[in-house]
Amino acid sequence: MITSPALDRISPSQTTAMTDRATRLREDGVDVISLSVGEPDFATPPHVIQAAKTALDEGQTKYTPVGGTSRMKQAAALHFARDLGIEAPTANITVSAGGKQAIFHAIMATVGEGDEVIVPAPWWVSYPEIVKFAGASPIPLRTSAKNGFRFSAGELEAQIGPRTRWLMLNSPGNPTGAVYPREMLLAIGEVLRRHPRVLILSDDIYSPLIYTGAPHAAFAALCPDLAERVLTVSGVSKSHAMTGFRIGVAAGPAWLIQAMEKLQSHASGNPCSISQAAAIAAFEGTQDFLREWRERFRARRDLVVEAINAVPGLSTPVPDGAFYCMVDAAPLMTRFKDDAALAMHLLDHGVAIVPASAFGGRDGFRISFAADDARLREACARIAKALS
């Protein structure tokens, strides 16, 4: 059996692997609480479901333009302007089968052998794998809990080299929940002005889920003079509990959008027509429910942080956004070969998490608190018992 060199450069997603393993165990009758997947547990809003049903009834089941319908791009433009402060014409917007596809196409369309992409660590599992598949090298930019899992402008500049092609930004971040405030993003912008070859990918998919009380700061909105180098990725998966609909949107310079759509025309063609109709309703309809969802996530965050920090040997900072806690288990690692072994130990005790090594970290694990309060309490109790 022979696979391509590009495929051999990457590893499977450990988040989906752990989630799939937990699902198989549950199907076999094992009581497992899965805190491994980044998926809101709330129901998709009714007006979004109705829009999908209406689209089916009206026969909207044919091909659409590769980068999305005109109406879908207009709805995405509304979202970028209203929610992120980014004014983008529809020619500068593309629609894909999830934000992950947009990121994949952007990297594949712009990097080659020998190029480098700066990826803050801990990172979302797919960032470095996409970079490696494209033939480039991911360059870790290490962050730590003591700095809120954020890098400084000076730390960024020290990592930029002659082969640097992209900087990955993710705020609020997966897996840490780190949020970059306005002042830090402005300082990062100052550094990038001195390096005109570097492109910026700003993954803002978790922008509605910030718990600091401050509005979301989007890099492209703060640094409009860098617009020709910034791609902002968003979508409906996290904000509207629409993970299965697979709709991502991206706004950036026309040359990059055209390159991404060129690749998409051969990779997948258009995003699902029914999902586009649902996403239009998501962006154009009421956003009032987000306030309640945000408060429920905030309460869950506080529940998990308190419970984890009460377990001897475990600690986690308070995340400012998203729905993840990055847990440090270094004091307990003398009992385990590595954090993958720790993850399997917790799975044996009925809780599925993802080891920190999946995110470029070590000696810990990520918890998703996108689950109801009762399951979170039980999961934390199982973790405490398993490590007692």
Side-chain angles (χ1 to χ4, degrees):
M1 297 177 66
I2 300 173
T3 57
S4 73
L7 188 67
D8 292 342
R9 288 194 291 264
I10 66 173
S11 303
S13 168
Q14 290 192 52
T15 53
T16 56
M18 183 60 78
T19 300
D20 290 347
R21 184 174 294 164
T23 299
R24 288 194 298 269
L25 287 171
R26 285 199 299 266
E27 290 172 348
D28 291 339
V30 180
D31 179 20
V32 175
I33 299 175
S34 180
L35 303 182
S36 59
V37 65
E39 180 175 56
D41 62 312
F42 303 133
T44 306
H47 67 281
V48 173
I49 299 296
Q50 185 56 53
K53 292 178 179 178
T54 300
L56 284 167
D57 290 340
E58 292 179 352
Q60 297 180 33
T61 56
K62 308 298 183 183
Y63 291 133
T64 78
V66 166
T69 65
S70 296
R71 179 76 185 283
M72 178 68 239
K73 290 192 174 189
Q74 290 167 5
L78 169 66
H79 160 64
F80 281 116
R82 178 191 62 210
D83 303 325
L84 301 178
I86 300 170
E87 298 292 339
T90 56
N92 291 51
I93 292 173
T94 191
V95 187
S96 56
K100 184 183 294 189
Q101 187 184 39
I103 296 168
F104 187 91
H105 288 166
I107 297 300
M108 290 296 296
T110 55
V111 307
E113 296 286 343
D115 285 337
E116 297 177 347
V117 177
I118 295 175
V119 188
W123 49 50
W124 176 51
V125 292
S126 292
Y127 289 149
E129 303 305 317
I130 291 171
V131 171
K132 288 187 286 186
F133 188 82
S137 299
I139 305 300
L141 179 51
R142 300 291 176 186
T143 66
S144 64
K146 68 179 181 180
N147 295 321
F149 291 113
R150 295 184 291 257
F151 63 86
S152 69
E155 290 168 330
L156 169 62
E157 186 140 40
Q159 288 289 67
I160 296 177
R163 301 296 298 177
T164 303
R165 189 68 174 126
W166 283 92
L167 165 67
M168 300 293 222
L169 280 173
N170 182 204
S171 176
N174 175 6
T176 65
V179 173
Y180 284 81
R182 182 176 184 274
E183 295 74 18
M184 293 190 76
L185 291 177
L186 288 171
I188 289 168
E190 283 298 312
V191 170
L192 292 167
R193 288 185 180 93
R194 295 192 287 272
H195 300 276
R197 187 177 184 273
V198 180
L199 303 169
I200 304 97
L201 196 151
S202 181
D203 184 350
D204 292 40
I205 194 76
Y206 293 97
S207 62
L209 301 177
I210 294 178
Y211 313 117
T212 62
H216 174 68
F219 183 83
L222 293 174
C223 303
D225 60 305
L226 300 178
E228 279 300 302
R229 292 196 273 146
V230 182
L231 181 73
T232 303
V233 177
S234 187
V236 292
S237 291
K238 315 300 182 180
S239 58
H240 292 74
M242 294 173 64
T243 51
F245 284 82
R246 306 313 304 136
I247 290 291
V249 293
W255 68 268
L256 179 55
I257 297 299
Q258 291 167 11
M260 293 165 62
E261 291 187 355
K262 178 181 179 181
L263 184 55
Q264 185 163 305
S265 72
H266 293 292
S268 65
N270 66 271
C272 172
S273 57
I274 304 305
S275 295
Q276 289 185 69
I280 291 168
F283 284 146
E284 294 183 349
T286 179
Q287 312 295 308
D288 292 345
F289 63 91
L290 286 172
R291 186 178 302 107
E292 178 194 352
W293 286 12
R294 188 161 45 245
E295 289 309 309
R296 290 171 69 182
F297 274 133
R298 186 203 303 269
R300 294 171 176 184
R301 176 202 66 176
D302 294 344
L303 183 162
V304 169
V305 168
E306 181 179 5
I308 290 298
N309 285 329
V311 178
L314 298 184
S315 62
T316 180
V318 180
D320 288 333
F323 38 69
Y324 308 106
C325 287
M326 198 64 175
V327 180
D328 177 62
L332 302 179
M333 291 310 297
T334 56
R335 296 163 50 185
F336 302 97
K337 176 183 177 182
D338 51 29
D339 56 17
L342 169 60
M344 292 307 300
H345 177 73
L346 294 179
L347 186 61
D348 289 341
H349 286 76
V351 183
I353 49 79
V354 185
S357 54
F359 309 101
R362 57 178 296 177
D363 297 347
F365 54 91
R366 187 197 75 174
I367 284 179
S368 167
F369 52 83
D372 65 68
D373 292 16
R375 292 179 69 78
L376 289 173
R377 289 193 182 93
E378 175 61 20
C380 291
R382 293 182 186 184
I383 291 172
K385 183 178 180 181
L387 299 176
S388 64

